[in-house]
Amino acid sequence: MHPPAPAASATAALPLAAFFFPKDSRPLPCLLLTSLLLLLLLHLLSSSSSSSSSPSPPPAAPHLAPLPAADASSAGPAPPALAFLLTGSAGDADRLLRLLLATYHPRNHYLLLLDRAASDADRARLAREARTGPGRANVHVVGDPGFANPSGASALAAALHGAALLLRVDQDWDWFLHLDAADYPLVTPDDLLHVLSYLPRNLNFIQHSSYIGWKESRQIKPIVVDPGLYLSSRTDIFYATQKRELPSAYKLFTGSSSVILSRKFIEYCIVGTNNLPRTLLMYYTNMPLPHRKYFQTVLCNSPEFNRTVVNHDLHYSITDKSPKNEPRLLTLADAENITQSSVAFGTRFAKDDPVLGHIDEEILHRRPGEPAPGGWCMGAGDDSPCSVSGNTDVLRPGPEAMKLAKFLAQRLSYPGFYSQQCIWD
């Protein structure tokens, strides 16, 4: 029923994948989860202390801090593989290219989607430049997308379409990550893969709440039509005069559009035999902002998955105090808080904002036009260290991995892990 755990020399005895568990056995698995994170922290500490005696990597450029030395002999689980859906609209081609480089690792799979509001020339340039460089056979670009209105169901349709394409391209991945062009990583790809390698592959990271409040009258009961689902031109959604009552067959949940979902759950939504995902998809088709509600509602109404939910999307954002309650743009003034956030991604950034250069230099150690370096980069010299690919199983986690591991250890500790899961208020 569950996918096998990755091979590990130091943790082979721990049941990494056996975390679908009955209600009366909650403490023990959660203690095992915490133990796994503690093992990760100890491993990171030992790696950082041993790196001082390891051969140093080639010297970095003066404005970049050097990465810790790679240690191929360190014991630990095999790294996972991630499936990234990177989405944007008109004018976002360069932002998606930058986001691709900042998150790139040869183990992962990438699908870049510029919706139909972008020009064909931008889409062709994106496809051409995204696949240049060694090891880019794992990068794909959607050639014939539809419109993705951020207020309507077409945005949810784009996310589901991207997930289905990633399943079709290759099923050898563990988590699905949906990032917008305005998102940016706050950890290196090696940091993220290293931390996730110590977690059960069935966990789903998604911010959610059953408290609807003001959204009931503004986002739940109104009936809308998104022309992006059936027209070849961009048209805003329009509202019907009628409203509908809340359903009684299932509980509605809401949250953010940023998700990190297990492959098993994505298969459940795309190709599963259970009718709940399709029933909810039809219900949300005529609702404003369904991409902020659909996955949350499916997860929390599915007995097979509602105990695998971590109530956080691993994104840092600052909510605007305007009536729309949207995340505001992050700037250099937020740099210290961004660095101390201990999460994996940030939301939202303006195009080419100086804070992105700060993240590249201080956290990702990434040169302009180059991927974030990691253990797989074997090129000599400073110009292009990732021009030659090495062993993709070798990771070089840095201090941000320690912060992310501590953050997850707190989120997965008992009883907090269960007290924030799919609460039916």
Side-chain angles (χ1 to χ4, degrees):
M1 177 177 177
H2 310 298
S9 57
T11 58
L14 295 177
L16 290 178
F19 284 88
F20 290 123
F21 36 82
K23 184 175 182 180
D24 58 357
S25 62
R26 293 175 187 175
L28 180 58
C30 214
L31 288 175
L32 288 176
L33 278 171
T34 306
S35 300
L36 288 172
L37 267 295
L38 291 176
L39 282 174
L40 167 61
L41 297 180
L42 290 174
H43 176 68
L44 284 169
L45 286 171
S46 61
S47 297
S48 61
S49 61
S50 63
S51 64
S52 59
S53 59
S54 303
S56 299
H63 65 288
L64 296 177
L67 286 169
D71 184 6
S73 63
S74 58
L82 310 178
F84 282 87
L85 173 63
L86 310 181
T87 59
S89 190
D92 286 337
D94 292 333
R95 300 174 81 182
L96 288 189
L97 286 170
R98 183 171 188 165
L99 184 57
L100 170 65
L101 293 172
T103 59
Y104 184 77
H105 193 281
R107 295 186 62 85
N108 299 332
H109 305 276
Y110 297 85
L111 183 66
L112 280 57
L113 191 157
L114 279 178
D115 74 7
R116 193 171 293 181
S119 66
D120 290 338
D122 275 354
R123 195 170 296 107
R125 180 172 65 88
L126 177 66
R128 182 172 60 253
E129 297 184 15
R131 291 179 63 88
T132 58
R136 300 285 181 84
N138 57 342
V139 178
H140 306 270
V141 175
V142 178
D144 187 21
F147 286 98
N149 190 317
S151 299
S154 53
L156 174 59
L160 290 170
H161 182 211
L165 288 175
L166 284 164
L167 282 174
R168 182 174 181 179
V169 168
D170 197 319
Q171 296 188 16
D172 186 22
W173 48 266
D174 302 286
W175 277 285
F176 167 79
L177 291 80
H178 182 193
L179 299 180
D180 182 75
D183 296 332
Y184 210 68
L186 305 180
V187 296
T188 69
D190 277 20
D191 289 339
L192 183 60
L193 289 173
H194 184 72
V195 173
L196 291 180
S197 67
Y198 285 81
L199 298 182
R201 307 295 166 92
N202 63 342
L203 290 179
N204 293 280
F205 300 88
I206 184 168
Q207 188 268 324
H208 68 279
S209 173
S210 64
Y211 176 73
I212 297 174
W214 60 268
K215 295 180 181 179
E216 178 177 336
S217 60
R218 298 182 187 178
Q219 297 183 6
I220 305 296
K221 289 187 175 181
I223 300 174
V224 304
V225 176
D226 183 356
L229 295 174
Y230 58 87
L231 292 182
S232 59
S233 59
R234 183 156 193 167
T235 306
D236 201 6
I237 64 172
F238 57 87
Y239 287 73
T241 56
Q242 299 86 358
K243 291 190 176 182
R244 54 185 172 183
E245 296 300 319
L246 296 180
S248 59
Y250 38 80
K251 182 73 171 179
L252 300 183
F253 287 79
T254 184
S256 71
S257 58
S258 303
V259 296
I260 302 178
L261 303 173
S262 68
R263 178 174 56 84
K264 185 170 183 179
F265 176 69
I266 289 296
E267 290 175 335
Y268 173 78
C269 292
I270 303 297
V271 298
T273 57
N274 193 298
N275 198 43
L276 177 65
R278 277 158 289 280
T279 299
L280 289 174
L281 182 60
M282 289 187 289
Y283 176 76
Y284 278 117
T285 297
N286 298 115
M287 183 182 294
L289 303 171
H291 57 295
R292 300 183 184 179
K293 308 174 184 72
Y294 173 75
F295 290 118
Q296 288 87 346
T297 304
V298 175
L299 272 170
C300 288
N301 286 273
S302 302
E304 184 179 0
F305 296 99
N306 61 10
R307 309 310 294 174
T308 68
V309 182
V310 181
N311 194 2
H312 203 285
D313 54 16
L314 302 189
H315 279 63
Y316 174 78
S317 64
I318 301 177
T319 303
D320 196 344
K321 294 182 181 179
S322 68
K324 291 185 177 181
N325 202 36
E326 295 287 341
R328 69 163 175 83
L329 291 175
L330 300 173
T331 66
L332 267 179
D334 305 302
E336 183 176 354
N337 291 333
I338 290 172
T339 302
Q340 296 177 356
S341 65
S342 303
V343 293
F345 303 96
T347 303
R348 308 163 38 226
F349 296 97
K351 181 180 179 180
D352 295 329
D353 191 279
V355 70
L356 297 177
H358 173 81
I359 294 171
D360 282 340
E361 182 174 341
E362 300 296 330
I363 297 178
L364 304 182
H365 313 292
R366 190 184 75 86
R367 298 168 177 83
E370 294 290 329
W376 62 276
C377 299
M378 299 295 291
D382 299 335
D383 293 337
S384 184
C386 298
S387 59
V388 180
S389 299
N391 187 351
T392 60
D393 288 338
V394 175
L395 302 177
R396 296 162 68 181
E400 302 306 317
M402 176 71 75
K403 294 180 183 179
L404 178 59
K406 289 181 178 179
F407 178 84
L408 286 173
Q410 295 173 351
R411 290 282 167 174
L412 296 174
S413 62
Y414 180 82
F417 177 56
Y418 296 100
S419 66
Q420 299 184 36
Q421 279 185 324
C422 300
I423 302 170
W424 289 50
D425 290 326

mmCIF file of all heavy atoms in Angstrom, residues 97 112 114 121-132 139-142:
data_model
loop_
_atom_site.group_PDB
_atom_site.id
_atom_site.type_symbol
_atom_site.label_atom_id
_atom_site.label_comp_id
_atom_site.label_asym_id
_atom_site.label_seq_id
_atom_site.Cartn_x
_atom_site.Cartn_y
_atom_site.Cartn_z
ATOM 1 N N LEU A 97 13.140 31.638 -15.666
ATOM 2 C CA LEU A 97 14.507 31.165 -15.889
ATOM 3 C C LEU A 97 15.351 31.324 -14.624
ATOM 4 O O LEU A 97 16.117 30.431 -14.247
ATOM 5 C CB LEU A 97 15.142 31.918 -17.048
ATOM 6 C CG LEU A 97 14.666 31.541 -18.447
ATOM 7 C CD1 LEU A 97 15.198 32.522 -19.482
ATOM 8 C CD2 LEU A 97 15.098 30.112 -18.794
ATOM 9 N N LEU A 112 7.959 24.052 -16.834
ATOM 10 C CA LEU A 112 7.770 25.494 -16.856
ATOM 11 C C LEU A 112 6.529 25.815 -17.682
ATOM 12 O O LEU A 112 6.379 25.315 -18.804
ATOM 13 C CB LEU A 112 8.990 26.194 -17.450
ATOM 14 C CG LEU A 112 10.208 26.400 -16.532
ATOM 15 C CD1 LEU A 112 10.725 25.099 -15.959
ATOM 16 C CD2 LEU A 112 11.313 27.134 -17.275
ATOM 17 N N LEU A 114 4.279 29.037 -18.990
ATOM 18 C CA LEU A 114 3.844 30.411 -19.231
ATOM 19 C C LEU A 114 2.445 30.341 -19.831
ATOM 20 O O LEU A 114 2.259 29.734 -20.887
ATOM 21 C CB LEU A 114 4.785 31.120 -20.206
ATOM 22 C CG LEU A 114 6.087 31.707 -19.662
ATOM 23 C CD1 LEU A 114 6.891 32.313 -20.800
ATOM 24 C CD2 LEU A 114 5.818 32.757 -18.596
ATOM 25 N N ALA A 121 6.713 34.071 -28.665
ATOM 26 C CA ALA A 121 8.155 34.320 -28.730
ATOM 27 C C ALA A 121 8.797 34.128 -27.354
ATOM 28 O O ALA A 121 9.875 33.530 -27.241
ATOM 29 C CB ALA A 121 8.421 35.736 -29.251
ATOM 30 N N ASP A 122 8.151 34.611 -26.295
ATOM 31 C CA ASP A 122 8.673 34.419 -24.942
ATOM 32 C C ASP A 122 8.684 32.950 -24.562
ATOM 33 O O ASP A 122 9.621 32.455 -23.929
ATOM 34 C CB ASP A 122 7.840 35.207 -23.934
ATOM 35 C CG ASP A 122 8.280 36.652 -23.811
ATOM 36 O OD1 ASP A 122 9.304 37.021 -24.432
ATOM 37 O OD2 ASP A 122 7.606 37.429 -23.100
ATOM 38 N N ARG A 123 7.650 32.242 -24.970
ATOM 39 C CA ARG A 123 7.567 30.822 -24.637
ATOM 40 C C ARG A 123 8.652 30.041 -25.374
ATOM 41 O O ARG A 123 9.270 29.129 -24.809
ATOM 42 C CB ARG A 123 6.177 30.291 -24.990
ATOM 43 C CG ARG A 123 5.853 28.939 -24.364
ATOM 44 C CD ARG A 123 4.385 28.585 -24.548
ATOM 45 N NE ARG A 123 3.534 29.540 -23.832
ATOM 46 C CZ ARG A 123 2.805 30.481 -24.417
ATOM 47 N NH1 ARG A 123 2.793 30.586 -25.750
ATOM 48 N NH2 ARG A 123 2.063 31.288 -23.703
ATOM 49 N N ALA A 124 8.911 30.370 -26.630
ATOM 50 C CA ALA A 124 9.964 29.701 -27.395
ATOM 51 C C ALA A 124 11.337 30.015 -26.810
ATOM 52 O O ALA A 124 12.198 29.133 -26.708
ATOM 53 C CB ALA A 124 9.898 30.124 -28.863
ATOM 54 N N ARG A 125 11.547 31.272 -26.421
ATOM 55 C CA ARG A 125 12.827 31.634 -25.805
ATOM 56 C C ARG A 125 13.011 30.921 -24.466
ATOM 57 O O ARG A 125 14.110 30.455 -24.137
ATOM 58 C CB ARG A 125 12.902 33.147 -25.614
ATOM 59 C CG ARG A 125 14.193 33.636 -24.972
ATOM 60 C CD ARG A 125 14.286 35.149 -25.001
ATOM 61 N NE ARG A 125 13.258 35.779 -24.190
ATOM 62 C CZ ARG A 125 13.393 36.037 -22.882
ATOM 63 N NH1 ARG A 125 14.507 35.696 -22.251
ATOM 64 N NH2 ARG A 125 12.417 36.628 -22.216
ATOM 65 N N LEU A 126 11.950 30.827 -23.703
ATOM 66 C CA LEU A 126 12.017 30.115 -22.424
ATOM 67 C C LEU A 126 12.404 28.663 -22.629
ATOM 68 O O LEU A 126 13.273 28.131 -21.926
ATOM 69 C CB LEU A 126 10.662 30.208 -21.718
ATOM 70 C CG LEU A 126 10.536 29.445 -20.393
ATOM 71 C CD1 LEU A 126 11.450 30.041 -19.340
ATOM 72 C CD2 LEU A 126 9.081 29.452 -19.910
ATOM 73 N N ALA A 127 11.778 28.013 -23.616
ATOM 74 C CA ALA A 127 12.098 26.609 -23.887
ATOM 75 C C ALA A 127 13.545 26.452 -24.347
ATOM 76 O O ALA A 127 14.236 25.500 -23.950
ATOM 77 C CB ALA A 127 11.145 26.050 -24.943
ATOM 78 N N ARG A 128 14.016 27.379 -25.156
ATOM 79 C CA ARG A 128 15.381 27.292 -25.676
ATOM 80 C C ARG A 128 16.415 27.502 -24.573
ATOM 81 O O ARG A 128 17.378 26.735 -24.445
ATOM 82 C CB ARG A 128 15.552 28.331 -26.782
ATOM 83 C CG ARG A 128 16.916 28.316 -27.462
ATOM 84 C CD ARG A 128 16.925 29.250 -28.667
ATOM 85 N NE ARG A 128 16.632 30.636 -28.298
ATOM 86 C CZ ARG A 128 15.493 31.255 -28.565
ATOM 87 N NH1 ARG A 128 14.524 30.619 -29.204
ATOM 88 N NH2 ARG A 128 15.295 32.522 -28.216
ATOM 89 N N GLU A 129 16.224 28.532 -23.754
ATOM 90 C CA GLU A 129 17.223 28.850 -22.736
ATOM 91 C C GLU A 129 17.129 27.937 -21.517
ATOM 92 O O GLU A 129 18.134 27.694 -20.841
ATOM 93 C CB GLU A 129 17.066 30.313 -22.313
ATOM 94 C CG GLU A 129 17.330 31.293 -23.444
ATOM 95 C CD GLU A 129 17.256 32.738 -22.979
ATOM 96 O OE1 GLU A 129 17.281 32.965 -21.743
ATOM 97 O OE2 GLU A 129 17.152 33.633 -23.846
ATOM 98 N N ALA A 130 15.941 27.414 -21.229
ATOM 99 C CA ALA A 130 15.786 26.550 -20.060
ATOM 100 C C ALA A 130 16.501 25.221 -20.237
ATOM 101 O O ALA A 130 16.892 24.586 -19.252
ATOM 102 C CB ALA A 130 14.304 26.308 -19.779
ATOM 103 N N ARG A 131 16.677 24.780 -21.459
ATOM 104 C CA ARG A 131 17.287 23.469 -21.695
ATOM 105 C C ARG A 131 18.760 23.555 -22.100
ATOM 106 O O ARG A 131 19.366 22.538 -22.431
ATOM 107 C CB ARG A 131 16.491 22.711 -22.760
ATOM 108 C CG ARG A 131 15.112 22.298 -22.282
ATOM 109 C CD ARG A 131 14.340 21.579 -23.379
ATOM 110 N NE ARG A 131 14.970 20.328 -23.776
ATOM 111 C CZ ARG A 131 14.740 19.153 -23.196
ATOM 112 N NH1 ARG A 131 13.899 19.083 -22.177
ATOM 113 N NH2 ARG A 131 15.324 18.071 -23.621
ATOM 114 N N THR A 132 19.337 24.751 -22.088
ATOM 115 C CA THR A 132 20.761 24.874 -22.387
ATOM 116 C C THR A 132 21.570 24.542 -21.146
ATOM 117 O O THR A 132 21.141 24.786 -20.025
ATOM 118 C CB THR A 132 21.104 26.293 -22.859
ATOM 119 O OG1 THR A 132 20.730 27.229 -21.834
ATOM 120 C CG2 THR A 132 20.372 26.632 -24.144
ATOM 121 N N VAL A 139 14.260 19.194 -17.817
ATOM 122 C CA VAL A 139 13.510 20.440 -17.864
ATOM 123 C C VAL A 139 12.584 20.421 -19.079
ATOM 124 O O VAL A 139 13.026 20.131 -20.198
ATOM 125 C CB VAL A 139 14.449 21.662 -17.937
ATOM 126 C CG1 VAL A 139 13.636 22.952 -18.032
ATOM 127 C CG2 VAL A 139 15.368 21.700 -16.720
ATOM 128 N N HIS A 140 11.298 20.739 -18.867
ATOM 129 C CA HIS A 140 10.310 20.737 -19.937
ATOM 130 C C HIS A 140 9.495 22.018 -19.870
ATOM 131 O O HIS A 140 9.331 22.612 -18.802
ATOM 132 C CB HIS A 140 9.385 19.527 -19.820
ATOM 133 C CG HIS A 140 10.119 18.220 -19.743
ATOM 134 N ND1 HIS A 140 10.462 17.486 -20.853
ATOM 135 C CD2 HIS A 140 10.597 17.528 -18.670
ATOM 136 C CE1 HIS A 140 11.106 16.401 -20.481
ATOM 137 N NE2 HIS A 140 11.207 16.394 -19.166
ATOM 138 N N VAL A 141 8.981 22.435 -21.021
ATOM 139 C CA VAL A 141 8.170 23.651 -21.120
ATOM 140 C C VAL A 141 6.855 23.299 -21.803
ATOM 141 O O VAL A 141 6.855 22.616 -22.838
ATOM 142 C CB VAL A 141 8.908 24.759 -21.900
ATOM 143 C CG1 VAL A 141 8.006 25.976 -22.092
ATOM 144 C CG2 VAL A 141 10.192 25.162 -21.178
ATOM 145 N N VAL A 142 5.743 23.746 -21.227
ATOM 146 C CA VAL A 142 4.423 23.509 -21.828
ATOM 147 C C VAL A 142 4.304 24.373 -23.082
ATOM 148 O O VAL A 142 4.435 25.594 -23.024
ATOM 149 C CB VAL A 142 3.302 23.845 -20.835
ATOM 150 C CG1 VAL A 142 1.931 23.647 -21.499
ATOM 151 C CG2 VAL A 142 3.418 22.969 -19.588
#
